[in-house]
């Protein structure tokens, strides 16, 4: 989070400064060992190595937050497929993080069960017609949903859009209420001020921004990966904020790849070779 030299706090970069005692404030993020190992196994089966681990909301913040938000305080809510991650930034650093085990897949599951329709079609209905807030035209607009297990294309359910909205709205409300409970449970949440940035695929549902502002009592905006240039139009939305943040995290201030950290499971001779290389480069 920052450094201290001879008791003076608030130092972001101590390089070039003189003093007797150097201190550092760190923020530790814990995760279930089984989940981390499963992710590592999945990546390794693709014949790739993991350079480092980064939590979703922190990576999303790296790509979509502006400098003033990082300094004054902001809360990033990354609404992913299975988990909604929360991160509070203050004075340019991550000061608090948490997660809620609800995401976009839970909304899709609610639609599939409520309409008795296949999951793939429930996802399509959510994307094309989904909304969190009702509108006056919902009763007149009709949507079609095929029935689970039916092979006859004529066997479809025709229902008003308002029924779909009545399924999506409560689930999104529940998500933000759980986020509010997590924020209220820590004193560090106040450092995030009254600013909320929404990222993730589920945040693209119409009405999510307004609903977040009402439930959290904060100013909400959509977070897009603006800190990374050259992205295609199809990949510059909130759903790709975490991916863009991972790219930003993978390089240092000079635009070069960060050195791969040494892990406890790696052989000792590899660690010794890397240490010898570091000494040769710097001395």
């Amino acid at each position: 989070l920052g450094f201290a030299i001879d008791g003076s706090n608030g130092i972001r970069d101590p390089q070039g400064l003189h003093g007797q005692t150097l201190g550092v404030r760190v923020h530790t993020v814990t995760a279930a060992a089984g989940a981390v190992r499963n992710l590592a196994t999945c990546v390794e089966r693709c014949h790739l190595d993991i350079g480092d681990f980064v939590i979703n909301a922190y990576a999303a913040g790296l790509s979509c937050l502006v400098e003033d938000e990082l300094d004054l305080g902001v809360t990033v809510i990354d609404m992913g497929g299975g988990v909604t991650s929360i991160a509070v930034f203050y004075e340019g650093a991550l000061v608090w993080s948490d997660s809620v085990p609800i995401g976009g897949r839970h909304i899709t599951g609610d639609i599939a069960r409520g309409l008795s329709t296949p999951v793939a079609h429930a996802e399509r209905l959510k994307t094309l017609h989904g909304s969190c807030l009702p509108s006056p035209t919902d009763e007149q607009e009709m949507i079609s949903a095929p029935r689970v297990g039916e092979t006859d294309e004529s066997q479809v359910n025709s229902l008003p859009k308002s029924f779909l909205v009545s399924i999506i709205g409560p689930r999104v409300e529940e998500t933000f209420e759980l986020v509010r409970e997590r924020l209220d449970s820590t004193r560090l949440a106040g450092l995030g001020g009254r600013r909320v940035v929404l990222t993730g695929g589920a945040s693209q549902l119409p009405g999510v921004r307004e609903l977040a502002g009402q439930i959290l009592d904060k100013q909400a905006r959509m977070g897009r990966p603006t800190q990374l240039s050259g992205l295609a139009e199809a990949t510059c939305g909130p759903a790709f904020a975490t991916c863009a943040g991972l790219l930003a995290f993978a390089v240092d201030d000079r635009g070069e790849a960060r050195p791969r950290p040494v892990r406890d499971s790696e052989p000792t001779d590899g660690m010794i070779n890397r240490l010898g290389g570091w000494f040769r480069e710097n001395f």
Side-chain angles (χ1 to χ4, degrees):
L1 304 183
F3 296 90
I5 295 181
D6 295 339
S8 298
N9 296 313
I11 300 173
R12 295 188 182 181
D13 187 357
Q15 297 184 79
L17 301 179
H18 297 270
Q20 298 295 323
T21 304
L22 174 66
V24 60
R25 294 187 301 117
V26 299
H27 173 67
T28 302
V29 179
T30 59
V36 174
R37 289 172 182 166
N38 289 335
L39 286 173
T41 301
C42 181
V43 173
E44 289 168 358
R45 286 179 178 176
C46 300
H47 306 288
L48 298 171
D49 292 329
I50 295 177
D52 211 339
F53 291 91
V54 187
I55 60 174
N56 287 29
Y58 178 70
L62 292 179
S63 68
C64 64
L65 295 180
V66 299
E67 187 174 353
D68 285 342
E69 286 176 329
L70 287 170
D71 289 337
L72 299 176
V74 65
T75 302
V76 175
I77 301 176
D78 183 70
M79 305 179 69
V83 174
T84 296
S85 303
I86 318 161
V88 176
F89 292 82
Y90 181 68
E91 292 185 347
L94 174 71
V95 296
W96 182 80
S97 60
D98 205 340
S99 63
V100 173
I102 298 179
R105 285 200 297 268
H106 295 82
I107 300 175
T108 302
D110 291 345
I111 297 172
R113 284 187 291 271
L115 303 184
S116 297
T117 191
V119 174
H121 198 82
E123 180 68 25
R124 184 173 181 271
L125 287 174
K126 181 183 74 173
T127 304
L128 297 179
H129 306 286
S131 177
C132 300
L133 299 176
S135 67
T137 61
D138 287 346
E139 290 293 338
Q140 288 75 34
E141 184 177 350
M142 303 297 292
I143 59 176
S144 299
R147 300 175 183 175
V148 175
E150 292 284 355
T151 58
D152 188 356
E153 295 182 358
S154 63
Q155 298 296 324
V156 297
N157 293 325
S158 294
L159 55 143
K161 181 183 174 182
S162 59
F163 190 76
L164 179 65
V165 176
S166 68
I167 296 175
I168 297 175
R171 177 63 84 172
V172 178
E173 285 185 27
E174 179 192 12
T175 303
F176 286 126
E177 286 172 356
L178 290 174
V179 169
R180 184 181 60 188
E181 290 178 3
R182 299 293 175 88
L183 291 173
D184 292 342
S185 66
T186 174
R187 59 181 179 82
L188 294 176
L191 299 177
R194 300 194 64 251
R195 191 71 170 166
V196 168
V197 176
L198 302 172
T199 65
S203 69
Q204 298 177 110
L205 279 170
V208 167
R209 175 179 176 177
E210 293 77 8
L211 199 58
Q214 294 174 10
I215 296 177
L216 301 177
D217 191 24
K218 295 178 182 291
Q219 301 173 356
R221 75 169 179 89
M222 302 303 297
R224 293 176 173 81
T226 57
Q227 302 302 316
L228 202 65
S229 60
L231 293 176
E233 183 178 355
T235 58
C236 62
F240 295 90
T242 299
C243 295
L246 290 174
L247 292 174
F249 182 86
V251 298
D252 56 20
D253 296 336
R254 299 171 295 177
E256 300 177 357
R258 295 178 184 270
R260 181 172 178 267
V262 179
R263 308 217 176 271
D264 295 337
S265 59
E266 294 183 355
T268 307
D269 57 346
M271 182 177 64
I272 294 175
N273 290 335
R274 273 186 285 273
L275 285 173
W278 183 85
F279 276 104
R280 284 193 297 269
E281 292 175 4
N282 293 274
F283 297 93

